[in-house]
Amino acid sequence: MNDADAARTADASAVALPETAAAHPSRGAGPATKGLARRGAAGPVALVVGGALSVQFGAALAVLLIPRAGALGVVTLRLTLAALVLLVVCRPRVRGYSRSDWGTVVAFGAAMGGMNVCIYQAIDRIPLGAAVTLEVLGPLALSVIASRRLVSLVWAGLALAGVVLLSGGGFDRLDPVGAGFALAAGALWATYIVFSARTGRRFPQADGLALAMAVGAVLSLPLGLVEAGTRLAVPSTLALGLAVALLSSVLPYTLELIALRRLPAGTFAVLMSLEPAVAALAGFLVLQQALSVTDAAAIALVIAASIGAVRSRTAAA
């Protein structure tokens, strides 16, 4: 994200199978939930938009932190500090789970850690909006594959056109290494969605999310220590790292969890499809990363493909 975060899940302990082309697994919404959303959707929509803004502005802040701690150091700070906050708040139970349960949460945490490593390596090399646009292709591909409908090929083609336009005919314009990391983050995001859903079925409330975040933190810690060492302990760096953890993980999870109690999952997915545009806005305002007309058109194509895929799945449900 989408750490973008993209990197994240609205409520990993209660998700259904993914039905979003651009983002995180979400609760299914029954008739009662849909009725509430129709009567007062403005509040939940504002919460989801606020969560998206929080994630992407947190990512922009992370870019500013990278010169101090390195991309891997930022990942370590984000995951470790977010894990500490979630563990304190959720106080998850650790007994009574099977080996299979722990295998699932470890896989979830590993996907989360890998996704964060890749997206931060990407945004260290290419503009934030471009990185999130490429990253979102992973969940989009998952949604297209899961739908098994002919119209999904249309949305896949539209997304591919956006990627070709974004790359200018070759990823060398973006930096091929950065683009590759963004695409890898997208693949891990799709994996993350699958295992977050499985974790949600095995762990109550937000316990699975807190435990998975801890796994990701443990896996990323050696990488961060090797790259940044004692720089991670500098008070100002720790303070910025905490801000990134709160903006990119804790705050958006909370906002989305509240929103999803009143908002249909399909609507949530459509809103999450706008993440590349939010990332581009954050990159422009915080990092002065201006978009060309071609880049803006490419991002618009991927967003349109993502929304189309979401609506197609919602209509088929």
Side-chain angles (χ1 to χ4, degrees):
M1 65 177 141
N2 117 304
D3 244 273
D5 312 287
R8 71 197 188 279
T9 175
D11 178 14
S13 66
V15 292
L17 287 174
E19 55 179 302
T20 159
H24 325 290
S26 56
R27 292 179 192 270
T33 306
K34 293 179 180 178
L36 281 171
R38 282 194 296 269
R39 289 194 293 271
V45 167
L47 291 175
V48 174
V49 172
L53 288 168
S54 181
V55 166
Q56 299 307 334
F57 277 85
L61 182 60
V63 174
L64 298 178
L65 183 56
I66 285 175
R68 294 186 179 211
L72 295 176
V74 173
V75 172
T76 295
L77 287 173
R78 173 186 169 174
L79 292 179
T80 301
L81 295 173
L84 289 174
V85 171
L86 289 172
L87 288 172
V88 169
V89 172
C90 299
R91 291 182 293 179
R93 179 172 57 87
V94 296
R95 295 182 179 179
Y97 297 114
S98 67
R99 182 177 300 177
S100 177
D101 293 336
W102 282 111
T104 298
V105 84
V106 167
F108 180 25
M112 182 188 300
M115 178 179 64
N116 276 275
V117 166
C118 288
I119 194 59
Y120 281 123
Q121 291 288 345
I123 63 178
D124 190 30
R125 292 171 171 84
I126 62 177
L128 180 59
V132 174
T133 300
L134 292 172
E135 183 191 24
V136 98
L137 295 178
L140 176 58
L142 178 63
S143 182
V144 167
I145 293 169
S147 72
R148 298 179 182 177
R149 302 181 71 214
L150 187 60
V151 70
S152 296
L153 297 178
V154 175
W155 307 126
L158 195 63
L160 181 61
V163 172
V164 171
L165 195 61
L166 188 66
S167 69
F171 282 118
D172 54 314
R173 184 177 73 87
L174 282 177
D175 180 298
V177 176
F181 272 120
L183 291 171
L188 286 164
W189 194 354
T191 305
Y192 164 97
I193 289 173
V194 171
F195 279 101
S196 65
R198 294 180 182 177
T199 299
R201 291 192 291 269
R202 293 169 180 264
F203 291 81
Q205 300 179 17
D207 287 13
L209 174 62
L211 293 169
M213 189 75 74
V215 170
V218 169
L219 292 177
S220 71
L221 187 59
L223 301 176
L225 289 175
V226 168
E227 180 170 83
T230 57
R231 286 183 292 162
L232 295 178
V234 175
S236 59
T237 300
L238 278 173
L240 285 172
L242 180 59
V244 171
L246 294 175
L247 284 172
S248 296
S249 297
V250 179
L251 181 59
Y253 296 160
T254 303
L255 293 177
E256 291 167 6
L257 174 58
I258 295 170
L260 280 165
R261 291 171 179 164
R262 297 171 53 197
L263 198 66
T267 303
F268 173 77
V270 169
L271 292 170
M272 288 291 94
S273 298
L274 302 177
E275 290 253 355
V278 178
L281 175 64
F284 175 72
L285 293 178
V286 179
L287 306 171
Q288 288 76 54
Q289 295 176 341
L291 286 177
S292 68
V293 174
T294 300
D295 290 340
I299 291 173
L301 284 174
V302 174
I303 290 173
S306 189
I307 292 175
V310 167
R311 289 193 173 279
S312 294
R313 292 209 65 195
T314 303

